[in-house]
Amino acid sequence: MPNQIDALVAAAIHDAKNALMALDTQLGEIERRPTSADFSAARATTGRIAGQLAELLTLYRAQGGQLRLAIDDHDLHDFIDDLLTELGPLPGNIQLDCNRDAADQLGAWAFDAYLVKLALLDALRNALRQARTHVALTLKAAPQGGLCFEVADDGPGFPAAILAGENTASAQGTGLGLSFARLIAERHATPAGKHGHVALANLPGANFKLTLP
Amino acid sequence: MDLRDKTGLLIDDMPEMRSAMRIQLTDAGLEKCDQARSIKEAIDRLKEKRYDLIVCDYNLGQGADGQQLLELVRRRNILPLSTAFMIVTGETGYEQVSTAAEYAPDDYLLKPFTADLLGTRLGRILDKKAALAPIYSQMGEKGDRTKALAACEALLANGGRYALDVLRLKGELLTALGRNEEALALYENVLQQRSTPWAEVGKARLLSLLGDDEEAKAHLQRALTAYPNYLAAYDSLSQLVEKTDKAAAQQIVEQALKVAPSTQRQRRLGGLALENKDFERAESAFRRAVEKDRTGFFKSHDDYSGLAKSCVEQGKTVEALTAVKDMGNAFARTPELEARQAAVECQVHVKSGNEAAAKLALEKALKVQQSAKLDASSALEIAQACFAGGRTEEAKAIIQSVAEDHNENDEVLAKAQGVFAQAGLEDEGTLFLDATKKRMIKLNNDAVAMAKAGQLDQAIEMLTEAADRLTNNAQIAINTAMALLMHVHRNGTSTDLAQTKRAHAYILQAQRANANHPRLTEISGLYRKVAPADAPPLEGI
C-alpha cells in the first residue's frame, strides 16, 4: 500500500501540475476576452484538482487508520441533484443522460455522501473526457440488494491493463480515481458483513459500476 | 421553498465570517435573520423567539462547538423540533459533525459553498420540516405522542418521499410509548430492506428493553464495525456494557471520544475511570471537561467534583482543593453549588487526613442540605461526604429520600449505588436500595388496593402525603391524581371542583418530574373524561 500511495502521489502531483498550467492558459484567455465557455473550462479544472487532492487526502488517512466513514441516510434525488450541480457545465459536444428512476422506489439510502460524491465526480469527469457524444449516469437497485451507480460512456473503453485489475497510470488518468473508488466501496459495509465494490467493463465504451451495500 | 417569509438565526463567533455568511444568506433569499456571537447570545435569542431555521458554525470559540450547542438546546427544550438546524463547517470539521449523535443537525454544509447551494440546502430541510410538521407539533414538551403516532400513520398512508424519516420518528414514538414489540417489528422491517445506522441502533435498544442485553450488545458491536462514526451506537453500547463491566464501558467511551469531542462524554469517561480506580485517566478527563469549555454552558459541578476526587486519590491535595475553589468561580451561587463545594471539600480533607477541616466542611454541607431542597446529585454528594466523615446514618437517610423521590430513575439509583460502593458498602447498598424500591411499590399497591376496597379517602390521604414529600416521583403523583379523580367520578362531577383542581396539580407535578412517563397519557385521558366543565384545562399532556 505505501508504495502504491507514493506512486499515486507522484502521478497526482504530475497531473495537478499540468492542470494548473492548463488553468493558467484558460485564465489568460479569460483575461483577454471573457467568455462563459472559458470560465466553465477553468472551473472544471479547479474542480478536478480539488477533487483529486481530496481523494489523495482520504487515501492517506485510510493508510494511517484515520479514515472513518460517516454513514447516514441521504435522499437519492437530492444526492444526484447535488452531484450534477457540482459537476458543473458539460463540454458542449457531450450529452449526459441521467436515469434515476430507482430513486423514486428506494427513496433514501445510507452512505457517506461526501466520499461517494467524490468518487462519482471523478468517474463522471473521466467519462466526459473519454466520451465521443454520450455519457450515461444510471441509478439502480442492485440485484443482490444494494445501490448501484453506473457511469457509462461511448468512448474507446478502459485499457486492457486497467480491466485486468492493474492500478497503473495510463493515458486515461493517474489511477487515483479508481483506487479511491475501490477503497470507499470496500469501506462501505453492513453489520451483516456485506461490502461495496467497483466493477469495470467495456460495453464497448467504458462502464463503471459503484455498488454500495 | 421561498425563504423570504422565513426567520433565521445565524450563530458564529467570528465577525468577518458572520458578515460574509449574512450576505450569502441574503443572496439565498433569507432576509429576516438575527445574529448571535456566542453560546450565551444564541440561547438568549432562542428563548425569546421561535425561528424557522438556525445556521450555526461548527467552531464557536471558547471550546464550544455547534454540535454541543445543538444538544444543549434540544435537551433543554429551547429549540423545538420544527426548527431546522444546519451546521456549517470547514472540511476538517466534517468528520466531527457527521457523526450522528442522538441529536443530529438537520444538515451540514462544507465550506466553501455558493449562495445557490446554501439556498438549495436550506430549502430542502425546510421542505422536510414542513412535511413532517404534523408529527413534530405533537412531539414537543406539550405534545401528545399518541397524536404524533397518528400523524405518522397518516403520512405513511400517503406515501411520499419522506417515508423513511417518518418511520424513524414512528420507531422513536413507539419506543417512548413502551410499545416495544411494535417498535422492534418496525426496525426489523426497515432492516430487511436495507441496513441503516438508526434502525440498527433502534433495534438494539429494543432488544435491551425486551430483556436481551447480550444480543443488544452483539448487535451494537456489529453495527459499529460498519458505522464507526455513529456516536449513538457507542453511547448505547457503553450504557449496556456498564451494567456488567465498567472497565469495558470506559474503553468504549474512549473510542467515542476519538470520534468527536464532547464535554458530556469527557464527564462520563471521568466518572467511569474514577469508579475503575483509574485515577490518572479520571483526572485528565475531568480536567479536559473543565478547561476546554470556557463558556460554562457545558461543564457541570460533577466535573469539578470528579477532578477534586481523582486528584486527592493520587495524593494531590492542593490540586484537589483548587478544583473545589474553581468550582465556586465557574458557576452561579446556588444552594447546590454551596452543598457540592462543602461536601467535596470534606471528602478531600478526609482522604488527606485533615479531620478538623473535614468536620467543618461536613457541618456546612449538612446545614445547606437542611435549609434547601437539593437536586439528587448534590444530595448524594453530601451522603458520600457523610460516609467519609463517619456519619453513616445521616448518609443513609439522605440516600433513602433521594431513592424514594427518584424511584423510577435508573440513573439516579445507579448513582446512589455508587455512593454505597465508594464507601465500601456495595452489598449493603444493593439491599438498601432494593428495599426502598419494594417499599415504594408496596405503597402504590396498598393505595390501589385501598381504593378498590372502597377506602378511597384513606388512599388519597396516604398518597398525597407521599406525593407532597416526593415531588420528583411521577408515579406517586399520577396515582394520587388517579385516586382524586376516582373520588370525583364516584361522587358525580358536580360535587367537587376542589378535588379536580388538586388532581390537575398532581398531573402537572408528574409531568414536571418526568414528561416521558408512560402513564401520563392515561391519567390525562381520565382527567378529561371526568373533570367538570369549569375545571382547569390540561394543555399538551
Side-chain angles (χ1 to χ4, degrees):
Chain A
M1 185 88 171
N3 284 338
Q4 197 197 329
I5 293 249
D6 283 349
L8 289 172
V9 170
I13 291 175
H14 182 76
D15 195 51
K17 186 201 72 186
N18 287 345
L20 283 173
M21 284 162 68
L23 180 63
D24 191 58
T25 312
Q26 287 156 350
L27 289 174
E29 284 298 309
I30 291 168
E31 193 177 34
R32 226 165 36 83
R33 186 177 50 86
T35 69
S36 75
D38 286 334
F39 268 119
S40 298
R43 292 207 41 198
T45 307
T46 56
R48 189 160 63 84
I49 306 176
Q52 286 192 353
L53 293 179
E55 287 180 347
L56 256 192
L57 214 53
T58 308
L59 285 165
Y60 251 123
R61 305 200 27 221
Q63 193 191 357
Q66 301 289 310
L67 176 68
R68 283 187 310 264
L69 264 54
I71 310 286
D72 211 347
D73 284 354
H74 296 281
D75 182 279
L76 291 169
H77 279 295
D78 288 348
F79 177 74
I80 300 233
D81 285 345
D82 287 351
L83 182 69
L84 297 178
T85 308
E86 212 155 308
L87 186 63
L90 304 174
N93 54 332
I94 311 277
Q95 190 183 328
L96 174 65
D97 304 317
C98 178
N99 180 344
R100 51 161 102 178
D101 294 348
D104 294 334
Q105 167 220 332
L106 292 169
W109 200 262
F111 57 99
D112 187 316
Y114 172 68
L115 294 178
V116 172
K117 202 190 319 167
L118 271 181
L120 290 175
L121 280 173
D122 200 322
L124 283 166
R125 286 186 184 121
N126 210 34
L128 289 171
R129 273 193 302 199
Q130 301 300 328
R132 282 185 301 113
T133 56
H134 278 79
V135 170
L137 168 66
T138 312
L139 183 72
K140 294 175 181 168
Q144 312 296 326
L147 177 70
C148 177
F149 294 96
E150 184 182 79
V151 178
D153 66 59
D154 58 359
F158 294 109
I162 285 188
L163 273 188
E166 285 171 40
N167 232 339
T168 46
S170 71
Q172 287 196 359
T174 58
L176 173 62
L178 268 179
S179 297
F180 177 81
R182 288 198 173 107
L183 170 78
I184 65 126
E186 168 64 23
R187 288 297 188 91
H188 275 81
T190 68
K194 278 198 211 168
H195 289 261
H197 56 89
V198 168
L200 306 179
N202 285 340
L203 300 173
N207 183 287
F208 166 97
K209 274 195 197 123
L210 172 65
T211 304
L212 302 174
Chain B
M1 170 70 63
D2 190 359
L3 299 179
R4 235 153 279 277
D5 57 341
K6 302 291 177 192
T7 55
L9 175 64
L10 167 64
I11 309 167
D12 196 326
D13 64 319
M14 309 277 281
E16 55 276 21
M17 296 306 261
R18 225 172 28 247
S19 55
M21 212 31 222
R22 183 72 185 83
I23 292 168
Q24 284 196 299
L25 284 167
T26 311
D27 287 349
L30 183 78
E31 285 161 3
K32 288 177 260 176
C33 186
D34 293 336
Q35 300 183 28
R37 292 171 296 182
S38 65
I39 297 272
K40 186 180 180 316
E41 278 190 12
I43 290 176
D44 288 346
R45 292 276 180 186
L46 289 171
K47 275 183 181 164
E48 70 199 22
K49 191 167 157 187
R50 192 192 173 103
Y51 293 96
D52 295 307
L53 65 101
I54 314 293
V55 178
C56 180
D57 197 72
Y58 179 72
N59 198 336
L60 295 177
Q62 294 194 292
D65 61 63
Q67 176 63 34
Q68 294 203 68
L69 173 64
L70 171 62
E71 287 174 17
L72 183 85
V73 293
R74 285 259 198 255
R75 199 168 281 144
R76 288 198 195 164
N77 290 318
I78 303 170
L79 184 73
L81 284 168
S82 52
T83 298
F85 197 100
M86 174 187 268
I87 293 183
V88 173
T89 173
E91 210 147 324
T92 45
Y94 149 73
E95 280 200 340
Q96 293 171 354
V97 177
S98 57
T99 49
E102 188 179 353
Y103 301 92
D106 295 287
D107 196 6
Y108 48 87
L109 198 51
L110 299 192
K111 287 189 271 195
F113 46 81
T114 60
D116 267 356
L117 182 64
L118 177 65
T120 307
R121 299 286 278 268
L122 288 176
R124 265 182 212 160
I125 56 180
L126 288 171
D127 279 338
K128 192 195 270 193
K129 287 284 174 196
L132 302 180
I135 308 174
Y136 288 135
S137 68
Q138 294 294 342
M139 275 184 83
E141 222 180 345
K142 297 197 164 169
D144 177 341
R145 290 216 182 86
T146 317
K147 285 186 187 154
L149 211 50
C152 289
E153 298 297 353
L155 282 170
L156 285 173
N158 291 340
R161 66 184 303 194
Y162 302 115
L164 213 53
D165 300 276
V166 178
L167 283 172
R168 185 174 183 166
L169 292 170
K170 188 182 167 190
E172 288 170 21
L173 285 162
L174 286 171
T175 309
L177 284 165
R179 290 162 66 171
N180 295 341
E181 265 90 12
E182 289 167 80
L184 181 61
L186 179 146
Y187 289 125
E188 283 181 334
N189 210 359
V190 169
L191 290 173
Q192 257 175 19
Q193 320 287 322
R194 68 190 73 224
S195 176
T196 181
W198 59 267
E200 301 284 0
V201 172
K203 178 178 171 182
R205 283 187 184 145
L206 265 307
L207 287 170
S208 164
L209 283 171
L210 290 165
D212 195 348
D213 275 2
E214 289 314 308
E215 186 50 40
K217 278 189 259 183
H219 195 81
L220 286 168
Q221 258 142 4
R222 283 194 298 270
L224 278 173
T225 58
Y227 311 125
N229 237 28
Y230 207 70
L231 283 172
Y234 290 98
D235 292 342
S236 292
L237 182 60
S238 73
Q239 278 158 17
L240 283 177
V241 169
E242 189 188 346
K243 293 186 197 171
T244 52
D245 186 347
K246 293 202 156 65
Q250 184 181 332
Q251 287 315 309
I252 295 162
V253 180
E254 292 272 17
Q255 286 173 25
L257 274 167
K258 285 198 188 114
V259 175
S262 133
T263 301
Q264 209 177 340
R265 283 189 197 87
Q266 289 289 354
R267 176 178 317 137
R268 195 161 142 61
L269 175 63
L272 284 164
L274 205 52
E275 286 190 75
N276 291 327
K277 305 208 182 304
D278 184 354
F279 299 120
E280 219 172 301
R281 188 66 188 102
E283 180 190 346
S284 62
F286 284 125
R287 203 172 281 290
R288 189 150 174 80
V290 158
E291 284 172 2
K292 182 164 184 279
D293 170 27
R294 296 191 302 283
T295 71
F297 278 97
F298 305 110
K299 57 191 174 187
S300 80
H301 295 170
D302 289 344
D303 301 326
Y304 288 91
S305 160
L307 180 57
K309 287 175 193 172
S310 45
C311 285
V312 77
E313 289 286 355
Q314 301 172 79
K316 301 178 182 173
T317 311
V318 178
E319 283 94 331
L321 290 172
T322 304
V324 175
K325 195 165 148 256
D326 289 346
M327 186 194 315
N329 296 330
F331 302 103
R333 279 222 92 65
T334 57
E336 267 88 12
L337 176 67
E338 253 181 282
R340 255 316 167 83
Q341 279 185 287
V344 175
E345 194 188 328
C346 162
Q347 295 170 64
V348 171
H349 287 312
V350 169
K351 280 274 172 197
S352 61
N354 189 345
E355 269 183 45
K359 198 157 181 260
L360 220 62
L362 185 52
E363 291 304 336
K364 193 176 167 196
L366 284 166
K367 215 173 116 195
V368 181
Q369 197 246 335
Q370 277 146 21
S371 60
K373 179 149 172 94
L374 297 175
D375 66 16
S377 311
S378 312
L380 289 174
E381 190 81 82
I382 297 175
Q384 196 161 341
C386 285
F387 274 132
R391 294 168 75 161
T392 311
E393 290 316 308
E394 274 147 304
K396 285 186 192 166
I398 293 171
I399 295 178
Q400 180 172 333
S401 83
V402 170
E404 285 181 357
D405 204 7
H406 299 271
N407 184 38
E408 292 178 296
N409 187 334
D410 289 339
E411 206 179 316
V412 172
L413 295 179
K415 254 189 186 169
Q417 176 62 30
V419 174
F420 276 109
Q422 284 292 314
L425 300 169
E426 192 149 7
D427 294 342
E428 193 183 339
T430 311
L431 292 174
F432 185 91
L433 290 169
D434 211 35
T436 307
K437 199 155 200 172
K438 285 197 178 117
R439 220 172 27 251
M440 296 311 288
I441 293 172
K442 185 167 182 305
L443 172 74
N444 281 308
N445 288 349
D446 286 354
V448 172
M450 263 186 216
K452 278 191 182 149
Q455 297 166 298
L456 207 46
D457 291 334
Q458 288 94 315
I460 289 173
E461 194 188 322
M462 194 165 99
L463 283 166
T464 44
E465 183 279 323
D468 292 346
R469 191 162 48 89
L470 308 172
T471 51
N472 288 302
N473 191 319
Q475 192 183 21
I476 298 255
I478 288 169
N479 282 339
T480 313
M482 182 78 76
L484 287 162
L485 291 174
M486 278 167 75
H487 190 270
V488 172
H489 185 55
R490 190 163 300 174
N491 299 335
T493 46
S494 60
T495 50
D496 210 344
L497 182 60
Q499 298 285 65
T500 315
K501 281 186 176 162
R502 285 174 69 199
H504 185 262
Y506 286 117
I507 295 173
L508 294 186
Q509 176 172 317
Q511 193 203 16
R512 272 194 305 277
N514 179 6
N516 296 328
H517 199 283
R519 286 184 58 212
L520 269 177
T521 318
E522 173 199 351
I523 189 67
S524 52
L526 181 65
Y527 181 88
R528 293 198 180 93
K529 212 163 102 190
V530 307
D534 50 349
L538 257 189
E539 273 163 15
I541 304 180

